[in-house]
Amino acid sequence: MHIVAVLALDGVVAFDLSTPLEVFARTRLAGGEPAYDVRVCAPKPEIDAGAFVLRAPWGLEALDTADTIILPGLVELAAAVPEEVLARLRAASARGARLASICAGAFVLAATGLLDGRRATTHWLAAAQLAERFPAVDVDPDVLYVDEGQLLTSAGAAAGLDLCLHLIRRDHGSAVAADAARLSVMPLERDGGQAQFIVPERPPAPRGSIMEPLLRWLDENAGRELTMAEIAAHAGMSTRTLNRRFREQTGTTPLQWLHRARIRQAQHLLETTAEGVDRIGARVGFGSPTAFRERFKRIVGTSPHAYRHAFRSAV
């Protein structure tokens, strides 16, 4: 039977820990037999989980035989991970085990070095910190989960459910995964490319970057019609040099960054005002309602109307 080991460390987020326990432990194959053997393991007998103390029935030896290892998030993102834990995770990966993180568990996975040179995600609020602490990791803050084959990462807590269902579908097919989704009252059809609803306040960029003044200026002038020539002139560079340096330091182009700045402003207006969608699109700098709707859907993963319905503040 497929063994799933869920790692509990001091400061573990209880929601992240319980999600894989409930989803995998309740999954059944077509004949009714359990699909997974789920084991909670820890580096010591008792783990501080904040509101309670957890007594894990398995030690770190459970990592040595697990087929899949789930890494829940920790409350303290900067918490040091015991070296023995990191060593066992690296060894598990080397023998072919699958490692998956939920939410801020990406920080634990990144600490192993296994995510270097790979794409990964985490909660949108923590994406900038993950990118800063682990610059070799390609952080994508806009998706529900990232499947890199043997290594998987997911976004905020609810995205952990999406990731677990995705793993079940990989292991046992859509029918078994659909049954697991129904038990969790979750849709199976959401996929990893669907954007998290909240766009980060600023796309991750190294602090102290020479682009910081330009990023602030773009934010302040996002509602204007801006051309690459005007942006380059403000930066005091040629268009070619600006594009190269901007991508080196932010991972994207000036115009793509500008689009995201406009969408952030549109989200705020959709949440806090009753202005019409088309008016908001024009106000944040889009030349046509169609361009606004298409860009909003591409970045946020839903329409402006649906976003407003979901996130409009109560009056």
Side-chain angles (χ1 to χ4, degrees):
M1 186 185 300
H2 190 115
I3 298 174
V4 175
V6 182
L7 178 64
L9 300 175
D10 280 334
V12 65
V13 176
F15 193 103
D16 295 357
L17 177 75
S18 63
T19 295
L21 299 183
E22 287 295 306
V23 176
F24 290 114
R26 293 178 182 271
T27 301
R28 294 292 182 269
L29 300 178
E33 63 272 25
Y36 299 95
D37 177 2
V38 184
R39 304 174 179 181
V40 179
C41 63
K44 57 184 183 179
E46 291 190 347
I47 293 296
D48 179 5
F52 59 92
V53 173
L54 171 69
R55 292 183 178 176
W58 293 83
L60 292 181
E61 71 278 358
L63 301 178
D64 301 338
T65 56
D67 301 293
T68 294
I69 298 171
I70 305 293
L71 305 175
L74 304 179
V75 174
E76 296 294 334
L77 300 183
V81 182
E83 184 54 43
E84 182 185 3
V85 171
L86 297 177
R88 285 185 183 258
L89 292 175
R90 295 185 192 107
S93 177
R95 65 172 174 79
R98 184 171 60 188
L99 277 62
S101 65
I102 294 179
C103 197
F107 284 78
V108 178
L109 186 53
T112 66
L114 296 171
L115 286 179
D116 289 359
R118 295 178 179 269
R119 182 166 161 257
T121 193
T122 188
H123 193 290
W124 64 272
L125 274 173
Q129 188 171 340
L130 182 66
E132 183 177 355
R133 280 186 58 192
F134 303 100
V137 179
D138 178 12
V139 179
D140 185 345
D142 298 330
V143 293
L144 295 175
Y145 59 82
V146 173
D147 184 343
E148 286 275 304
Q150 194 181 347
L151 302 172
L152 301 95
T153 52
S154 64
L161 276 169
D162 294 284
L163 177 63
C164 291
L165 293 173
H166 172 69
L167 291 173
I168 294 169
R169 181 165 46 192
R170 270 183 50 174
D171 294 338
H172 301 293
S174 295
V176 173
D179 286 340
R182 280 190 287 272
L183 281 173
S184 300
V185 197
M186 278 285 293
L188 182 61
E189 65 269 15
R190 298 207 309 170
D191 64 29
Q194 181 172 330
Q196 299 185 48
F197 276 121
I198 307 299
V199 174
E201 184 178 351
R202 290 185 183 276
R207 292 180 183 175
S209 161
I210 62 171
M211 290 297 160
E212 277 193 333
L214 179 62
L215 298 183
R216 285 195 298 270
W217 181 80
L218 286 173
D219 233 8
E220 293 165 358
N221 293 273
R224 295 174 46 206
E225 276 193 40
L226 295 173
T227 64
M228 270 302 302
E230 185 176 358
I231 296 171
H234 182 83
M237 306 177 190
S238 69
T239 299
R240 184 173 182 179
T241 299
L242 174 63
N243 267 319
R244 176 173 56 80
R245 292 187 179 175
F246 202 97
R247 184 175 288 279
E248 286 173 353
Q249 299 202 26
T250 69
T252 188
T253 68
L255 290 180
Q256 288 172 335
W257 200 99
L258 179 62
H259 286 317
R260 293 177 61 82
R262 288 169 171 165
I263 293 302
R264 289 194 304 274
Q265 294 177 12
Q267 285 179 294
H268 176 71
L269 294 172
L270 288 167
E271 293 171 19
T272 59
T273 76
E275 281 192 76
V277 168
D278 291 351
R279 169 62 184 155
I280 288 175
R283 183 172 164 183
V284 301
F286 286 93
S288 73
T290 300
F292 171 54
R293 286 179 166 83
E294 289 179 351
R295 182 67 61 173
F296 194 96
K297 181 69 178 290
R298 188 180 309 168
I299 292 177
V300 183
T302 190
S303 70
H305 285 290
Y307 182 89
R308 166 171 273 169
H309 179 73
F311 293 101
R312 173 78 185 275
S313 302
V315 179

